[in-house]
Amino acid sequence: MRVIVLGGSGTYPRPGEACNGFLIQESGADILLDFGTGCMANLLKTVDFTRLDAVVISHMHVDHYLDLYPLFYAMRFHLDKPWGLPLYAPRGALATMGKIMGEDSRAYLERVFTPYDLQVGESFRAGPLQVQCYPAFHPVEAFCLRLETVDGPARTLGYSGDTAPCPGLVEAARGVDLFLCEATMINSFAEHAHGHMTSAGAGQAAREAGAARLVLTHIWPTFDREQSRSEAAEAYDGPVDVALQDMILDI
Ligand SMILES: [Zn+2]
Ligand SMILES: [Zn+2]
């Protein structure tokens, strides 16, 4: 399994760097895992958007789904009509998107995307990956996700989405090869975390889950990412990195 970082900034972009979004490549399939502000421009550097196999959105905050709009319009007006892209997202995702669209475009949302509701405790197949949904702790319905290869030796990816520390986060990351965990706040800003993780909290969750490797994402744009990394490393014995745009993570 290959993870290409389309963006890793939390809440709003860094200069020249998009919000959370990851392209997962496995067995020839291309799957998006979140697709926040600025990700579309980076996706286009790597793959043909008409050949995506599935999109998985952890929750409907704009820093995780906003670039579904340019993806929608690119597909909506493509002459080949590459429609019916499976979209796994919280219930009502397309209705949420449609609120700021004109009637003519809104009518095409369910043709361009084929929506499936994420449900806690359920799993689904996205191309060659099995995806399990766990409850996150966040102001809107949100999911921690565990992605596992189906063919060949199992490779596992845990993804926090956005969440405060919670049991679902640790379960999603239990024994994974790679744990992609948000670390919005440096430790000294813990009181401002509001449904998010601190860097030490991400390290603690990785340790508790027994994850083999921790990669931090969704760090608030004004923080020094090396500080986040070192704070997480104090709470976790394994390797810790920060998800930087265009980074390739092979599992
Ligand atoms: Zn976010
Ligand atoms: Zn959020």
Side-chain angles (χ1 to χ4, degrees):
M1 191 192 315
R2 169 165 282 189
V3 179
I4 300 173
V5 179
L6 301 174
S9 190
T11 307
Y12 67 98
R14 284 178 184 254
E17 188 154 348
C19 288
N20 259 33
F22 307 92
L23 174 65
I24 315 292
Q25 296 186 316
E26 166 66 20
S27 302
D30 293 303
I31 294 152
L32 294 178
L33 177 61
D34 278 350
F35 202 52
T37 318
C39 284
M40 181 74 174
N42 294 327
L43 177 74
L44 295 175
K45 293 191 293 190
T46 306
V47 298
D48 175 355
F49 68 86
T50 66
R51 301 190 56 172
L52 290 169
D53 294 275
V55 181
V56 183
I57 300 293
S58 65
H59 67 297
M60 293 302 285
H61 275 160
V62 294
D63 55 327
H64 298 258
Y65 83 86
L66 190 71
D67 272 25
L68 288 183
Y69 286 103
L71 179 61
F72 164 77
Y73 285 108
M75 293 173 64
R76 154 79 178 89
F77 293 109
H78 196 284
L79 295 180
D80 294 341
K81 296 185 171 59
W83 300 349
L85 177 61
L87 173 65
Y88 300 90
R91 190 165 14 97
L94 291 187
T96 298
M97 284 186 70
K99 285 178 183 172
I100 62 164
M101 299 170 78
E103 189 61 45
D104 54 335
S105 289
R106 194 182 304 136
Y108 281 89
L109 271 174
E110 290 213 17
R111 299 175 70 181
V112 169
F113 297 117
T114 301
Y116 299 93
D117 295 344
L118 298 184
Q119 307 258 17
V120 162
E122 293 196 355
S123 69
F124 60 91
R125 183 84 178 258
L129 298 174
Q130 192 71 25
V131 185
Q132 178 79 37
C133 306
Y134 297 88
F137 190 82
H138 201 53
V140 297
E141 185 180 36
F143 299 86
C144 303
L145 300 163
R146 179 189 182 87
L147 291 71
E148 189 161 349
T149 56
V150 173
D151 300 323
R155 293 282 179 269
T156 48
L157 169 68
Y159 177 51
S160 62
D162 278 0
T163 188
C166 67
L169 175 66
V170 175
E171 286 311 306
R174 180 79 64 197
V176 292
D177 298 301
L178 175 63
F179 181 25
L180 200 48
C181 188
E182 71 126 298
T184 307
M185 294 295 166
I186 53 175
N187 293 344
S188 58
F189 277 68
E191 65 184 281
H192 302 288
H194 302 306
H196 289 287
M197 303 293 291
T198 61
S199 21
Q204 287 158 7
R207 187 186 63 212
E208 198 179 332
R213 181 183 179 189
L214 172 62
V215 175
L216 304 178
T217 186
H218 202 274
I219 296 168
W220 191 265
T222 57
F223 293 146
D224 171 17
R225 289 178 287 197
E226 175 51 31
Q227 180 177 348
S228 301
R229 199 203 65 76
S230 64
E231 288 179 354
E234 285 177 20
Y236 169 67
D237 288 335
V240 184
D241 292 291
V242 172
L244 302 175
Q245 190 166 291
D246 300 326
M247 182 184 269
I248 294 174
L249 302 161
D250 284 321
I251 305 172

